[in-house]
Amino acid sequence: MDFSHSLSLILPEIVLSVAGLVLLLVAAWGGDKTSRAITIASCVVLAACFAIVAPSVCAAAMGPDTVAFGGQFTADAFAGIAKLMIFAAAGAALVIAPAFFGRYGIMRAEYPVLILFSTLGMAIMVSATDLMTLYIGLELQSLAAYVLASFLRTDDRSAEAGLKYFVLGALASGILLFGMSLVYGFTGTTDFGGIRAALSGGMATGALFGIVFVLAGLAFKISAVPFHMWTPDVYEGAPTPVTAFFASAPKVAAIALTARVALDAFGAQAGAWQQVVIFAALASIVVGALGAIGQANVKRLLAYSSINNVGFILIGLATGTAEGVSAMLVYLAIYVAMTVGSFVAVLMLRNAEGEALEAISDMAGLSRTKPLLALCLAMLMFSLAGIPPLFGFWGKFVVFQAAVQADMVALAAIGIAASVIGAFYYIKIVKIMYFDEPANVVQGRSDWAHWALLAISTAAMSPLGYLLTPWLGELADGAAAALFLAA
Amino acid sequence: MGGFPILSLMLLVPMLGALACLFSGAKAARTIALAATLIDLALGLLLWANYDVGGAQWQFVERAPLFSQFQWALGIDGIALMLIVLSVFLMPICILASWDAIETRVGEYMAAFLFMETLIIGVFSAQDLFLFYIFFEAGLIPMYLIIGIWGGANRIYASYKFFLYTLLGSVLMLIAMLWMANHAGTTDIPTLMAYDFPAGAQTWLWLAFFASFAVKMPMWPVHTWLPDAHVQAPTAGSVILAGVLLKMGGYGFIRFSLPMFPEASAQLVWLIWGLSIAAVVITSLIALVQHDMKKLIAYSSVAHMAIVTMGLFAFNVQGLEGAMIVMLSHGLVSGALFLCVGVIYDRLHTREIARYGGLAINMPKYALFFLLFTMASIGLPGTSGFVGEFLSLAGIYQANTWVAAAGTLGIILGAAYMLYLYWRVAFGVQRNADAAAMPDLNTREWLMLGSIAAAVLWMGVYPESFLAPIRKDIAALDARVSSAAPESDSRLVIGQAQAAPAEDAAHGGAH
């Protein structure tokens, strides 16, 4: 492996870090008045990275050609498809931010830069094939995210969210590091391939502890039950564009990372982690569904919804098969589109003074005051509930199909039965928007960028989305094959 | 018909109509909706006229591999044809029924109905397992909105109950479908209908499908969403709910449970029979004491659907044909009865039976139609109800006399509550001045009830028109079921008793 080939493989990461540093200098000297230009530049950078990664995904890149720096980094199709989702979600988080922060007069130039660094961290996470690379990516992503969570300095809730996120995130990192050190101690290597080889014969109890601790640390990052407690508080407190970001991009990164760790590094000991993942999946579905029922704040509700969705995604992982990983990726793509769409719709809920509204009761009768917005949000809610013919159903469909194909019929049956509980609160939002008398609070107008994002995600979730299934399935299959080839 | 995709066109017309209604005013929406449903009715009649009775089992077949793991596969047999014709016939009537009654958000209302029509036709014509599921489940959304937005006082509760009950039933079916597709390696419904699943798996699959269809049907004891949904739904919502949506459950049993899992059907027949007996007796008794007209008719629907399940699981031709005719007849009759309630509800805005009385005096035309549909519901010879109930009971009598006895008891109770209802509403003294002042049917209402009355009498006097298209499919289903499934004991005993003299003679001759 020559050095130039390695460098060419990490081209998106190089572009992201150089652009991030340059834009940071521009922000430092130019001040907040450059925030608009920096936001646009960041979007361009993300689009460029998207374009760089896309060919490798379409070509289902895999094998030794995709490994850089002696096995520390892999730019295969699996990493690529996750990166595409991350870049798209980060771009959305940039587009929706100026209108939100502008109202408080604190659209600071650091925001797009932090998003870029966080994105860089995530790109490293999904490509990591070494515990060291993994940790560097994870921490880079997390540190940027802690700052983003408390970005709304004038708001106590935002500061609280940042602090909570930091303390719990640091704890999770500690647990992860402890697990990694155990794994290293019992296998003698930090390389995923090496760990796999060391574990293939048998496993010491210490290594099992290592696996469990690593998974626990990662479960924090993807907010799977029982490590989900921080999610509602952070989602509620963080500024809404940041929440939209948290609910989409880092989730993709952490889940892709978990899949790679589980199937590549610990692939030889699937039995050891499968039961952990199955428990986390079912517990996330049930807790995510039950916890959402009593919520009065729409951001808290969406936080529980994301916990619920993580459960379905983990069902795909729990199968431990290529079909399961492919299904997981399809679900992730659909989930990102639905989540971004939902948060954009929430951002568009403003009162006459332009202040953001978060109480679910404020949405009462929205179908009569803002029919188009209500229609889009209703479609997204039905889609999140997994009701056909909306596209959200397809995500659940492929995941449960993978579970059935892997002979996990009981897991599939319990999971899908629990999804009915989740449907309750999604249709409750529809009920509030369509059945209740108008509260007439939502008055504000939204700019074209919000409408465009909402239109894109709603169109993707409409039955038209099914026309994407052959293409989406092919890409996900290629990515899953890449992961299993490495494993 | 060559390669003309008439089924896709029938799906497209209401779909486009729905989109147009969504963005148009009240007046335009009504016209668009009526036009779209009438076009679909014309297409439906064209479908019937071009259906080759005795021809290929699956006709008007369309295939297009649009999606990754399933395809756009449409096609109908006689059973689906009849149910599609019923749906497209009832749809314009539903639109007319809501012509004046719905004043708020007309565009959305009409859009929901047209969307519903697309999905209903889709359910009956889908030939791909997952395409069927998508159409089957998608019906939840428009129906949830119809009940929740335009329903009565307790509409929120009713809409939640409807949505969550039916969803829970259906998701288990989805898992079963995934297992079947994985095991058989195909999602093609005609292929799966001839596929022999292992007997052990059949039981589980059958139960999963049963969970869905029993809720949709609805069977006792999971019927409780129906009275709530009916009472709160607008008149047209009730018509479409009773007329067509309930038939999806019966259609599911005919299309999936019986041909795909014949062994399990025979093995679990006691469950169906038990629940049907409970339903027909209990819900009839409940109907007897109702004060609310719509609730009474809703409970009578549950009782009639129990007759359908008895007929379906009689494992013989009479039972299956009878069940089909009861479904068609109930679609017409219960729809018409809900319309009759709607007519007087529009005038007095109450469904309390006690508020009416003596309507035969001031509304003679109405009383005549109401009487006809009451009689059809009871099963008076000459109406559609008689043909279906007679065939179903004849079928189930061959299978199990006790079930037949319970079914007959239900018919008697049905006569009791329907006549009691009619007596309280149309006969006797005019107790209330406002009820006595109500005007008789207007042209629109006369047209709606008259067209259904004609269909009811047609089906009652000459059922052959409706039996001919389904005969071959029923025979094929009977062959599939009776060859695979052991017949019940009681049927065998009766069979010997009837054939005994002839057999003796034959034996005597041979010896």
Side-chain angles (χ1 to χ4, degrees):
Chain A
M1 276 300 130
D2 63 312
F3 206 63
S4 63
H5 181 67
S6 292
L7 284 177
S8 75
L9 284 176
I10 62 162
L11 186 61
E13 285 76 15
I14 294 175
V15 172
L16 273 175
S17 26
V18 171
L21 291 169
V22 170
L23 291 175
L24 185 62
L25 292 176
V26 174
W29 267 283
D32 286 346
K33 59 182 179 298
T34 57
S35 66
R36 189 178 166 79
I38 293 179
T39 305
I40 293 169
S42 306
C43 284
V44 172
V45 168
L46 286 171
C49 293
F50 194 95
I52 296 170
V53 175
S56 76
V57 178
C58 293
M62 59 180 90
D65 279 351
T66 60
V67 179
F69 299 117
Q72 294 189 60
F73 187 96
T74 305
D76 56 6
F78 178 76
I81 201 166
K83 280 179 202 172
L84 292 187
M85 290 184 228
I86 292 166
F87 296 155
L94 287 175
V95 170
I96 56 180
F100 181 87
F101 290 114
R103 212 168 315 121
Y104 299 93
I106 49 163
M107 180 57 209
R108 296 177 62 91
E110 287 89 347
Y111 177 83
V113 177
L114 284 168
I115 294 269
L116 279 189
F117 281 129
S118 184
T119 308
L120 172 64
M122 289 184 247
I124 296 173
M125 279 162 75
V126 295
S127 278
T129 41
D130 188 287
L131 292 178
M132 290 292 119
T133 327
L134 180 163
Y135 192 73
I136 291 169
L138 192 69
E139 282 308 286
L140 181 55
Q141 179 267 321
S142 301
L143 285 172
Y146 301 147
V147 183
L148 283 171
S150 50
F151 205 75
L152 204 59
R153 287 181 306 171
T154 48
D155 186 6
D156 287 348
R157 287 189 310 165
S158 180
E160 184 192 327
L163 188 64
K164 265 188 187 152
Y165 197 21
F166 174 69
V167 171
L168 290 172
L171 180 67
S173 295
I175 292 174
L176 183 68
L177 270 183
F178 182 56
M180 279 161 55
S181 66
L182 278 173
V183 170
Y184 172 66
F186 281 88
T187 60
T189 174
T190 58
D191 179 64
F192 284 7
I195 295 171
R196 185 187 173 82
L199 290 179
S200 59
M203 186 170 54
T205 316
L208 178 63
F209 268 84
I211 291 176
V212 171
F213 274 101
V214 167
L215 286 179
L218 292 174
F220 257 109
K221 299 291 176 191
I222 61 176
S223 64
V225 175
F227 304 105
H228 65 287
M229 273 77 158
W230 59 274
T231 320
D233 291 343
V234 172
Y235 278 29
E236 185 192 0
T240 311
V242 176
T243 312
F245 181 65
F246 284 174
S248 49
K251 215 143 244 191
V252 175
I255 286 168
L257 174 67
T258 310
R260 201 190 282 278
V261 169
L263 292 165
D264 190 354
F266 305 145
Q269 294 290 343
W273 55 262
Q274 253 173 337
Q275 39 186 319
V276 178
V277 174
I278 288 174
F279 169 77
L282 290 180
S284 299
I285 292 172
V286 172
V287 172
L290 291 177
I293 290 174
Q295 301 304 328
N297 180 298
V298 69
K299 281 161 77 181
R300 281 187 87 85
L301 186 132
L302 286 171
Y304 278 105
S305 155
S306 84
I307 297 171
N308 182 253
N309 276 294
V310 161
F312 292 113
I313 293 168
L314 287 179
I315 285 188
L317 177 61
T319 60
T321 60
E323 290 82 23
V325 172
S326 166
M328 187 189 88
L329 290 170
V330 171
Y331 195 111
L332 261 179
I334 295 171
Y335 166 76
V336 167
M338 287 191 296
T339 305
V340 170
S342 308
F343 276 105
V344 169
V346 169
L347 275 170
M348 291 164 78
L349 302 172
R350 300 202 199 116
N351 64 14
E353 283 81 51
E355 283 166 10
L357 298 169
E358 290 174 10
I360 295 177
S361 55
D362 288 338
M363 292 155 73
L366 196 65
S367 67
R368 272 178 269 182
T369 50
K370 297 252 170 193
L372 198 57
L373 179 59
L375 182 70
C376 291
L377 196 51
M379 280 178 71
L380 288 167
M381 286 299 130
F382 278 125
S383 186
L384 277 165
I387 309 294
L390 299 165
F391 200 41
F393 166 71
W394 186 249
K396 293 206 167 58
F397 177 88
V398 285
V399 162
F400 286 114
Q401 187 175 43
V404 170
Q405 281 170 352
D407 262 339
M408 294 177 154
V409 181
L411 171 68
I414 298 172
I416 206 162
S419 79
V420 177
I421 312 172
F424 172 72
Y425 61 83
Y426 295 121
I427 65 170
K428 192 175 123 190
I429 295 205
V430 176
K431 172 237 161 196
I432 287 167
M433 291 192 302
Y434 276 83
F435 303 173
D436 289 358
E437 287 305 311
N440 279 322
V441 195
V442 180
Q443 305 277 353
R445 304 179 65 83
S446 304
D447 59 3
W448 63 269
H450 286 78
W451 278 114
L453 274 178
L454 186 63
I456 291 170
S457 55
T458 311
M461 287 313 112
S462 74
L464 295 176
Y466 285 88
L467 299 175
L468 295 173
T469 51
W471 177 76
L472 198 60
E474 199 179 311
L475 290 187
D477 283 345
L483 181 64
F484 274 82
L485 188 77
Chain B
M1 287 299 285
F4 183 69
I6 185 168
L7 286 171
S8 291
L9 188 65
M10 286 181 79
L11 292 173
L12 191 66
V13 168
M15 194 72 215
L16 292 179
L19 290 175
C21 281
L22 212 50
F23 297 103
S24 50
K27 221 170 174 170
R30 288 191 184 110
T31 321
I32 293 170
L34 188 63
T37 49
L38 284 176
I39 292 173
D40 247 27
L41 175 59
L43 286 171
L45 294 177
L46 194 68
L47 199 68
W48 195 2
N50 282 285
Y51 184 83
D52 180 15
V53 175
Q57 191 188 359
W58 302 100
Q59 302 185 16
F60 308 103
V61 176
E62 297 170 30
R63 303 265 144 158
L66 278 180
F67 316 110
S68 69
Q69 288 170 47
F70 62 104
Q71 54 178 344
W72 182 258
L74 301 176
I76 52 168
D77 62 353
I79 296 169
L81 171 77
M82 283 294 104
L83 290 167
I84 288 178
V85 170
L86 173 72
S87 315
V88 294
F89 174 71
L90 284 177
M91 263 302 170
I93 294 173
C94 285
I95 301 293
L96 281 175
S98 357
W99 203 260
D100 295 329
I102 301 297
E103 289 154 358
T104 53
R105 302 156 93 181
V106 179
E108 293 169 49
Y109 179 86
M110 295 296 171
F113 264 88
L114 291 174
F115 188 46
M116 198 73 228
E117 179 170 24
T118 305
L119 299 173
I120 290 165
I121 298 171
V123 163
F124 292 137
S125 59
Q127 283 213 308
D128 186 283
L129 205 55
F130 297 128
L131 192 65
F132 169 84
Y133 184 81
I134 288 175
F135 283 127
F136 189 77
E137 273 298 273
L140 284 178
I141 298 176
M143 213 54 217
Y144 174 70
L145 295 176
I146 289 170
I147 298 173
I149 300 179
W150 296 278
N154 201 14
R155 58 186 206 273
I156 311 282
Y157 174 72
S159 60
Y160 275 151
K161 203 167 177 179
F162 168 78
F163 193 97
L164 295 175
Y165 251 65
T166 33
L167 181 64
L168 182 62
S170 303
V171 290
L172 294 172
M173 180 171 79
L174 177 65
I175 298 294
M177 284 181 167
L178 289 169
W179 193 90
M180 286 160 66
N182 188 35
H183 188 268
T186 176
T187 56
D188 186 50
I189 291 178
T191 316
L192 285 168
M193 281 168 73
Y195 188 90
D196 293 314
F197 288 99
Q202 274 194 21
T203 311
W204 289 105
L205 296 172
W206 190 92
L207 284 171
F209 277 79
F210 174 74
S212 177
F213 297 144
V215 173
K216 268 263 163 45
M217 193 88 192
M219 294 181 75
W220 187 86
V222 285
H223 67 282
T224 56
W225 64 269
L226 183 78
D228 283 322
H230 265 311
V231 171
Q232 303 307 335
T235 302
S238 290
V239 174
I240 213 67
L241 199 57
V244 188
L245 284 191
L246 299 192
K247 309 303 170 289
M248 288 186 187
Y251 177 76
F253 280 126
I254 289 191
R255 182 64 77 234
F256 296 93
S257 301
L258 283 168
M260 292 185 193
F261 323 120
E263 274 93 10
S265 297
Q267 188 192 340
L268 290 161
V269 73
W270 54 270
L271 181 64
I272 294 275
W273 286 350
L275 293 182
S276 300
I277 290 173
V280 80
V281 176
I282 294 172
T283 55
S284 296
L285 290 174
I286 296 173
L288 262 176
V289 297
Q290 294 303 316
H291 302 293
D292 183 310
M293 278 189 268
K294 274 181 120 178
K295 233 176 185 159
L296 191 150
I297 300 168
Y299 279 111
S300 89
S301 292
V302 182
H304 279 106
M305 287 299 114
I307 306 276
V308 172
T309 44
M310 282 179 187
L312 287 177
F313 286 82
F315 294 96
N316 53 45
V317 173
Q318 284 96 326
L320 288 167
E321 284 186 345
M324 267 306 291
I325 296 291
V326 173
M327 284 207 274
L328 295 175
S329 156
H330 176 263
L332 295 171
V333 173
S334 71
L337 285 171
F338 279 119
L339 284 176
C340 286
V341 175
V343 165
I344 52 177
Y345 179 79
D346 288 346
R347 287 164 172 67
L348 213 57
H349 294 286
T350 176
R351 293 179 300 260
E352 276 292 307
I353 298 172
R355 292 279 285 112
Y356 298 95
L359 292 188
I361 298 168
N362 58 320
M363 300 176 77
K365 281 190 246 169
Y366 171 78
L368 179 68
F369 278 121
F370 195 12
L371 182 68
L372 173 71
F373 297 126
T374 303
M375 290 304 162
S377 176
I378 295 167
L380 189 78
T383 62
S384 57
F386 171 74
V387 181
E389 285 174 3
F390 181 81
L391 278 172
S392 296
L393 291 173
I396 194 69
Y397 186 82
Q398 293 174 40
N400 188 311
T401 46
W402 290 107
V403 181
T408 319
L409 177 63
I411 306 268
I412 295 168
L413 287 171
Y417 62 71
M418 285 312 294
L419 290 174
Y420 186 44
L421 169 72
Y422 189 77
W423 171 63
R424 284 181 289 173
V425 172
F427 292 161
V429 291
Q430 294 182 310
R431 284 186 295 274
N432 299 297
D434 48 359
M438 295 195 302
D440 208 350
L441 300 181
N442 62 28
T443 319
R444 177 178 61 85
E445 291 161 344
W446 197 93
L447 210 63
M448 295 184 321
L449 293 175
S451 54
I452 300 184
V456 165
L457 289 173
W458 181 12
M459 201 184 286
V461 174
Y462 192 68
E464 177 62 18
S465 312
F466 304 90
L467 281 170
I470 63 172
R471 184 161 289 129
K472 232 184 106 192
D473 302 303
I474 294 287
L477 180 60
D478 182 56
R480 168 92 177 142
V481 176
S482 55
S483 68
E487 294 302 308
S488 76
D489 292 344
S490 107
R491 191 203 160 162
L492 285 175
V493 172
I494 299 164
Q496 282 168 351
Q498 274 177 337
E503 218 168 61
D504 278 352
H507 281 292
H511 286 298

